[in-house]
Amino acid sequence: MYKHDMPAMDIAPRSYNSNSYTMNPVFATNKHSTGPITTGGSVVAIRYEDGVVLGADKLISYGHLRRFRDQTRIFKINETTVLAANGEQADLRYLVDLLNAEQKQAELRGDGFEKGPRAIHSWLGRVLYHRRTKGEPLFNDIVVAGWDRKESRPYLGHVSMLGVAYEAPVVCSGIATYIGLPYLREAYQVMPTMNRDQAVDSIKNCLTQLCMRECRSSNLVQLAVVNNKTVDIKDNIVLELNWDLAKNKLIKN
């Protein structure tokens, strides 16, 4: 066939306006999310002498709309590990489903092997880095807390959406990185051998301060306490807020 006898390829859009762009399916490409939509707020965690305390509120926002006010954001993976994350909650549940499927496979093998928090933390870092290099990032900053049975000590780690992973005695994600992290670091420096009750109080105080300063947060929270014996997730804790300081400031102004 000569060039002028060949049928024209329909690569031009059939219709175009500000809301739609229709193309021949042969030339269409996959589209991926360019930003989170249904998002969770900050996550805070601190390591104490015999375990880890992790806290997050139960609000999931749709943009700036406080859409879902009573949703689980702390997930128990196994008898030694919990995790929570800010950012896109659909991506977080995708990761949790993958981890739960792996946990089921481990139970079916029956060889007694179970991934601890260190292994799960490392795995999440590899997955998030892989998705980032593909240009399909998962929009989460993840906090992993648990008890490392191999080393007989508490474990606390953070993974960013770029796959950057690190371990620290105090970890925060979201706005808490700027507001809550200095407070928790100071508490840890003052009480490096804090007990469980002191760690729980520090996390509650930090979540209270965040709720009064972060627009997409709630005073209905969850706390997870992990030690060498149990994983204890406390649900539907209501924090008491005190706005007297703001009222006094308005009166003076």
Side-chain angles (χ1 to χ4, degrees), residues 89-135:
Q89 293 302 293
D91 290 346
L92 174 59
R93 281 156 173 75
Y94 164 73
L95 290 171
V96 171
D97 287 344
L98 289 181
L99 286 168
N100 287 337
E102 178 63 26
Q103 183 66 21
K104 289 291 184 183
Q105 289 294 324
E107 293 174 0
L108 292 173
R109 285 193 293 267
D111 55 5
F113 177 78
E114 184 178 72
K115 284 185 178 180
R118 184 181 297 275
I120 291 173
H121 183 222
S122 177
W123 180 85
L124 287 169
R126 303 284 64 77
V127 170
L128 290 173
Y129 182 79
H130 172 67
R131 291 293 297 262
R132 159 216 179 173
T133 56
K134 289 176 62 179

Side-chain angles (χ1 to χ4, degrees), residues 62-103:
Y62 183 77
H64 282 276
L65 175 66
R66 298 161 65 91
R67 181 64 181 85
F68 307 103
R69 298 169 182 260
D70 189 10
Q71 297 294 314
T72 298
R73 292 184 51 222
I74 298 177
F75 296 91
K76 177 182 176 181
I77 304 303
N78 53 38
E79 295 303 320
T80 62
T81 310
V82 298
L83 64 82
N86 71 316
E88 178 58 64
Q89 293 302 293
D91 290 346
L92 174 59
R93 281 156 173 75
Y94 164 73
L95 290 171
V96 171
D97 287 344
L98 289 181
L99 286 168
N100 287 337
E102 178 63 26
Q103 183 66 21

